[in-house]
Amino acid sequence: MVIESSEPFIKIKNVFYTHWNQETPTLKDLSLEIQPNTINVLVGPGGSGKSTLCSLFNGEIPHLLGGKLEGTVFVGGQNTNDLAVKNISQLVGHMLQDPESMFATLYVEDEIAFGPENLLIDAQEIKTSVNSLLELIQLQPQRNNLVWNLSGGQIQKLGLAVILAMHPKMVVLDEPTANLDPSATRSVHELILELRNQGMTILLVTRELDDFILSAADQLLVLDEGKIIANGNVQQVLKEFGSEMLTRLGIWLPETVEIGIALRDRFKVNLDRIPITVQETLHVLNQENLLRINLKLEQERSANRTLLPLSNPLISARNLEFTYNNGFKALNDVSFDIFPGEMLAIVGRNGAGKSTLAKLMVGLLKPQIGNLSLFDKPAAKWKVESLSEKIALVFQNPEHQFLTDTAFDEIAYSLLSRGVDDPNEVRKQVEDWMTRLDLLDFQKIHPFALSAGKKRRLGVATMLVCNPVVLLVDEPTYGQDKEMTQNLMALMESIRKLGVTVVMITHDMRLVQEYASRVLVMADGKILYEGEPSNLFCSEELLESANLRPTLLQELLKQYEDEGGCVCCSISTTDDFLNALEYSLASEDQYVN
Amino acid sequence: MSTSEHGLVFENRKSYLNSVYPLVKLAWVFVVAIGLFIYRSPISGAVMFLTILLVAMIAGKIPFQQILGSGKIIFGLGLLLMFFHFFVDPGNVVFKLGPLHITDNGLLQGPIFFFRLSVVVLASFILIWTTDTRDLMVSLTKAGVPYRGAFAVFLAMRFLPLIQKEVDAVKAAHSIRGKPTNSKFGHRFKLWRRYIFTILINGLRKAETTATSLECRAFGCFPTRTYVKDVHYKPLDLILLLVTILISGGLIVAERVL
């Protein structure tokens, strides 16, 4: 959709903004316009200033966050400098990255009513508004629930309802789907589309650009080092900056877009538009006579992945059950094995029991019913401290694990606690890990002062330095950009090759597809599937029952075969697909008979 | 895991205490506390301790396990305080334990202090367990407290279970890091220092975000605000207060007469 220039709802001109505690500006000569009733998607690498930019729209800057603001910010035709925050909040609502921290009351319906109550709106009117918002976000049954008993997806939806209750004309959503399972992500995206259809203006900041939201977006904005380096129609931006977004900026784009850009750049296909959906990609492949091909790889990357070991399992669970004190049954008749040297992914919807399983494996919880054997010894007989020498857990929030005042000391602490006390040896090992994880320049920095991505890497380093037999990572790539994700996963892959078992709990199906040798799918405390990732992606029913979705690449491969092509090799990345296409085109029997 | 499995969370068990007007319960906690500071005998403290325990279990339908679970640290501290008084209060020596002397006055004062601490904390816990903090805020506002001040009380109580959840998460994360020193006490001290640091930092961050969110949701823009849910006082609510005053008063009189 080409945006016709009516009066923009947001007009930002030549803005420089410097935080009160910094010397250099975070936003630099930034100008942009947002038209009413549009979906605008903002992307950019970590630390590019996305969250700071979001704070401009609802007056947090300059009214609440202080700092130095130059340039002008017009919202609904009015300069935010001249408006009070309470008035701006009825024009623009800002949902923070962690909406739970926005909540001020205890119950779902009270939370939605809170804003309108402050505006002295009539109680009956508020009740009607709360009912319609609960219907919109599909949380009617949870209206009397405590806010902290909601699932991740429900928290995001409640956060949205909280700002919609103020009846703004525009909503700014800062990473609303971070850490949500794929189905919950889609459901939030559908809600965003519904809001646009109702006349709302949306600004969505996200790392998870999927085909759905990218197809629906009216404008794509790319932020880098505090500047908008590209903005406009999605196709226009993808065509002009797509390659740069993928390479230099490390932005996650849908796999279909990656393939489209590669078809143009590598295969010299003349494209009118970059394909976004699977159907569009198939259409391009068909046009270029690339659809009915025997896809083969010269050397299968996946063949390098570990084959399932036949040795004795390190961890073995049989009929495991676990119920919390409040009666919530987190695990129900769970049985599985974890073998040496494999990379196992545990996936499933929010609240499926994945974290409970992780806590049982590291000894933080003890099994109640069933058997759990850890390294040939019943879990009940292990002490947490002794077990930590064999199995390491990287928590979802790395800050919880930090114990010292510098990044260097944090890694050194792990070595000292394992009895390595030779200062030279400690320094050598710490520096080695800091170099491998790109942290060496930050060794004197307090762990709490690091960026989210660096905290995550430091958390991983504190565990890897102990040479565990099993490394358990909760959401390994949360908060990481594409390049760092690839580095981190390459590191995991390298330690796996050295014999370390890597268990990752994740919602990122691209990681599962690309790296996992085996996958465990959980839902409602039960294991629904245990086996190879490729088989998981074949079962729509299974994916649906676990709130998962196939990756776009898997969807594409399935439909590629439906259209008469043949996928004769294991393809787990877009590079595999493109290499297979290239290799097959060069071979003699390229076309399916 | 939900937070409700942690101790200090309101739960509507449809009990008599759940239905009592929040300000009456607040006044009740004060009455209980005043009585305990007047009692001269540990027997009065013990009677009040049992009374409050029964009130919690019968009128509040609070399981004994929950009371024990949430109160164990306070009861433990109370016991430490009691033993401290045994040894440090001046008086006639009735027992010698090496260099330590236990006095008759210490034996009397120790249990008094134990019950003071335990009963006041237990009564406060009952207030938290049985009172929707939102209702407490509304009733304080109705009593004339400016709603911004009343809301500060509400927010403080709201954050209690979240802080407890954070402490549990930090403790769990630290426990798998091992310990680099042989000194158990030194390590524990270091861990506690770090718990406080982590919780303080995260608490400040949360407070900052919540404050910004409140501003953006027009909190405090007007001198008053609408309350979609209202709370009402009933004469029956006073029974709790009157019975407690009678028991406490009876104990004070009995101490002086007997």
Side-chain angles (χ1 to χ4, degrees), chain A residues 105 111 118 326 405 410, chain B residues 2 158 177 194 217 225:
Chain A
T105 70
E111 198 57 50
N118 294 330
N326 61 356
D405 295 329
E410 204 56 48
Chain B
S2 74
R158 185 191 181 276
R177 294 285 312 268
R194 187 53 55 171
R217 292 163 77 189
R225 69 193 293 276

Side-chain angles (χ1 to χ4, degrees), chain A residues 460-517:
Chain A
V460 171
T462 59
M463 291 298 151
L464 284 180
V465 73
C466 301
N467 296 320
V469 180
V470 176
L471 179 72
L472 191 51
V473 196
D474 202 349
E475 290 295 348
T477 57
Y478 177 59
Q480 306 286 332
D481 58 26
K482 192 178 176 193
E483 192 189 355
M484 209 54 237
T485 295
Q486 284 169 339
N487 289 348
L488 206 54
M489 290 314 297
L491 179 73
M492 303 267 185
E493 183 64 15
S494 69
I495 62 159
R496 187 199 62 69
K497 281 180 182 160
L498 293 173
V500 176
T501 300
V502 179
V503 181
M504 53 179 177
I505 296 171
T506 184
H507 288 128
D508 190 336
M509 299 310 284
R510 279 172 84 158
L511 283 191
V512 176
Q513 167 188 267
E514 203 167 328
Y515 295 98
S517 53

Side-chain angles (χ1 to χ4, degrees), chain A residues 109-133:
Chain A
E109 59 179 8
D110 291 355
E111 198 57 50
I112 300 174
F114 181 80
E117 282 179 325
N118 294 330
L119 291 171
L120 284 173
I121 294 171
D122 173 68
Q124 199 51 46
E125 198 181 318
I126 295 175
K127 280 181 190 169
T128 312
S129 165
V130 168
N131 284 334
S132 62
L133 283 168

Side-chain angles (χ1 to χ4, degrees), chain B residues 216-230:
Chain B
C216 292
R217 292 163 77 189
F219 182 75
C221 282
F222 300 102
T224 58
R225 69 193 293 276
T226 308
Y227 294 99
V228 173
K229 288 179 188 167
D230 210 347

Side-chain angles (χ1 to χ4, degrees), chain A residues 401-446:
Chain A
Q401 290 180 294
F402 295 151
L403 280 156
T404 67
D405 295 329
T406 68
F408 183 96
D409 287 350
E410 204 56 48
I411 303 176
Y413 181 97
S414 296
L415 289 167
L416 293 168
S417 68
R418 299 289 175 268
V420 182
D421 49 10
D422 173 12
N424 292 330
E425 180 61 21
V426 169
R427 171 156 294 278
K428 186 175 157 290
Q429 288 203 39
V430 172
E431 285 181 351
D432 177 39
W433 279 104
M434 292 198 117
T435 308
R436 290 167 82 168
L437 287 163
D438 200 15
L439 289 167
L440 201 58
D441 292 340
F442 307 95
Q443 52 181 307
K444 298 280 178 215
I445 305 285
H446 196 287

Side-chain angles (χ1 to χ4, degrees), chain A residues 178-319:
Chain A
N179 222 8
L180 291 190
D181 60 54
S183 276
T185 298
R186 175 56 61 91
S187 147
V188 171
H189 284 170
E190 282 169 351
L191 189 55
I192 290 170
L193 189 58
E194 169 71 21
L195 289 173
R196 197 268 309 266
N197 293 341
Q198 289 180 12
M200 187 79 73
T201 306
I202 319 270
L203 177 72
L204 171 69
V205 180
T206 184
R207 280 172 208 270
E208 292 164 83
L209 266 180
D210 63 11
D211 55 332
F212 181 84
I213 203 68
L214 209 49
S215 296
D218 301 298
Q219 183 177 211
L220 183 59
L221 303 119
V222 186
L223 187 70
D224 183 33
E225 294 181 356
K227 283 182 187 173
I228 295 285
I229 59 162
N231 67 317
N233 176 292
V234 172
Q235 275 301 325
Q236 181 194 331
V237 173
L238 288 180
K239 272 199 234 169
E240 290 174 20
F241 290 91
S243 303
E244 194 178 344
M245 285 162 78
L246 279 172
T247 51
R248 188 177 72 80
L249 300 176
I251 291 168
W252 290 104
L253 289 173
E255 289 154 304
T256 43
V257 173
E258 283 184 22
I259 289 170
I261 291 170
L263 285 174
R264 184 193 64 185
D265 297 348
R266 191 165 144 189
F267 290 77
K268 307 299 173 202
V269 172
N270 191 16
L271 291 177
D272 292 334
R273 48 180 282 123
I274 304 287
I276 293 174
T277 63
V278 168
Q279 283 309 319
E280 286 171 357
T281 312
L282 287 169
H283 180 70
V284 170
L285 292 170
N286 190 28
Q287 270 186 336
E288 298 300 319
N289 210 15
L290 297 171
L291 202 53
R292 290 173 55 80
I293 285 183
N294 286 312
L295 286 180
K296 287 178 289 187
L297 276 167
E298 187 176 11
Q299 187 187 10
E300 287 200 29
R301 196 185 70 92
S302 53
N304 294 331
R305 281 198 209 176
T306 183
L307 295 171
L308 279 186
L310 296 170
S311 49
N312 288 334
L314 297 170
I315 296 172
S316 186
R318 293 292 173 268
N319 313 110

